[in-house]
Amino acid sequence: MKIAGDTHTHTLSCQHAYSTLLENIRYAASIGHRFLVTTEHGPAMAGAPHEWFFENLAKAVPREVEGVVVIKGCEANLMDCAGTLDVPEAGLKRLDLVMASMHRVTFPQGTTPEERTAAWCAAAKNPRVDVIGHLGDPRFSVDYEAVIRAFREGGQAVELNSSSPKSRPGSEENCRTIARLCREHGVPVLLSTDAHFCTAIGKVERAASVAREAGIPEEQILNTSYRRFRDWLAARQRISDLPEE
């Protein structure tokens, strides 16, 4: 399954990835991608960029570089069971796309599945949140049925993250459940890599396999088409200046 753009990528700005944004863009261009979403970690994570990074991103980086449309986003950290994000509103409102994720170094330890479910349901009510990141992490198990229903109501997309089997061991079965629920409830899906080096960009085979196994139709996968992805962002009133094709 071919994608038109990777929707979860990192740069050396987060200090645990190893390519520049320009290197990521050039690699995306070399494999024929029309767009690239850059999603740096929020500032609560050690080594992540300062909150000003996200405020300045829209001004500093051109909309299109070497034929690749640059979608300026972030991977904000969920900080508590109320769904609080670590990127301030001043940054969120300037970004094209906001992904929310739970990480062991930023989300409270010792929470219950019920508390984590409440956190995701709160995030789903936040109009700034567009995408839910690597939900299948077994360290943060939740009531997947309740969470996917909340995402459907909020109009968010759910990513199927190709790096999860390696980065978050034990996530495979949860990802299958999430994919099945997305199909049943008609929730938009993104196939992503969570790339931390440029040559990982576009390698979504694991995520695509999960999507196929769940029977998710291609038209439900937003980033297999630039136009479909563009129209979804426009419908969420996030971006008004994206090229037509």
Side-chain angles (χ1 to χ4, degrees):
M1 189 178 294
K2 184 174 175 59
I3 60 172
D6 203 331
T7 55
H8 187 166
T9 65
H10 294 282
T11 76
L12 52 75
S13 295
C14 74
Q15 296 187 28
H16 65 274
Y18 303 93
S19 299
T20 66
L21 178 55
L22 186 56
E23 286 169 336
N24 283 357
I25 291 167
R26 285 176 170 165
Y27 188 80
S30 77
I31 59 174
H33 281 191
R34 179 64 177 115
F35 71 94
L36 177 77
V37 186
T38 184
T39 49
E40 216 51 86
H41 289 288
M45 184 173 286
H50 188 273
E51 62 188 58
W52 295 344
F53 174 95
F54 301 101
E55 293 184 39
N56 195 49
L57 186 59
K59 295 183 294 182
V61 178
R63 173 57 73 204
E64 193 166 351
V65 179
E66 300 189 13
V68 175
V69 177
V70 183
I71 308 296
K72 304 154 192 178
C74 73
E75 184 181 10
N77 294 291
L78 270 180
M79 300 300 294
D80 54 38
C81 295
T84 305
L85 302 179
D86 65 335
V87 178
E89 182 68 13
L92 293 176
K93 70 182 182 181
R94 289 175 170 81
L95 294 170
D96 301 328
L97 180 144
V98 175
M99 174 182 290
S101 299
M102 288 183 182
H103 292 99
R104 62 179 178 80
V105 293
T106 53
F107 192 78
Q109 300 297 300
T111 54
T112 66
E114 292 76 16
E115 289 171 325
R116 296 190 291 268
T117 298
W120 280 122
C121 289
K125 294 179 181 177
N126 185 342
R128 298 289 187 196
V129 174
D130 303 297
V131 183
I132 309 304
H134 47 71
L135 181 63
D137 191 335
R139 294 169 295 186
F140 299 112
S141 60
V142 296
D143 179 341
Y144 294 107
E145 178 82 32
V147 172
I148 295 299
R149 285 181 180 272
F151 296 165
R152 181 191 63 188
E153 293 169 8
Q156 283 96 350
V158 173
E159 77 158 354
L160 296 178
N161 187 309
S162 274
S163 76
S164 284
K166 182 177 180 180
S167 301
R168 291 165 281 276
S171 63
E172 292 92 333
E173 191 56 40
N174 290 341
C175 290
R176 292 188 185 98
T177 298
I178 291 161
R180 174 180 57 79
L181 289 168
C182 285
R183 174 182 56 79
E184 291 176 359
H185 295 292
V187 175
V189 168
L190 295 166
L191 305 181
S192 71
T193 63
D194 202 351
H196 283 63
F197 190 70
C198 62
T199 58
I201 289 170
K203 293 178 171 59
V204 296
E205 292 82 4
R206 287 173 174 167
S209 177
V210 172
R212 281 193 297 267
E213 181 183 323
I216 297 174
E218 185 169 337
E219 58 269 21
Q220 195 175 332
I221 303 173
L222 297 173
N223 61 325
T224 54
S225 160
Y226 169 68
R227 177 171 288 276
R228 186 182 303 123
F229 181 76
R230 177 187 180 280
D231 289 349
W232 173 74
L233 278 181
R236 290 188 61 74
Q237 300 181 332
R238 299 295 290 185
I239 312 179
S240 60
D241 67 337
L242 291 184
E244 284 292 327
E245 291 293 347

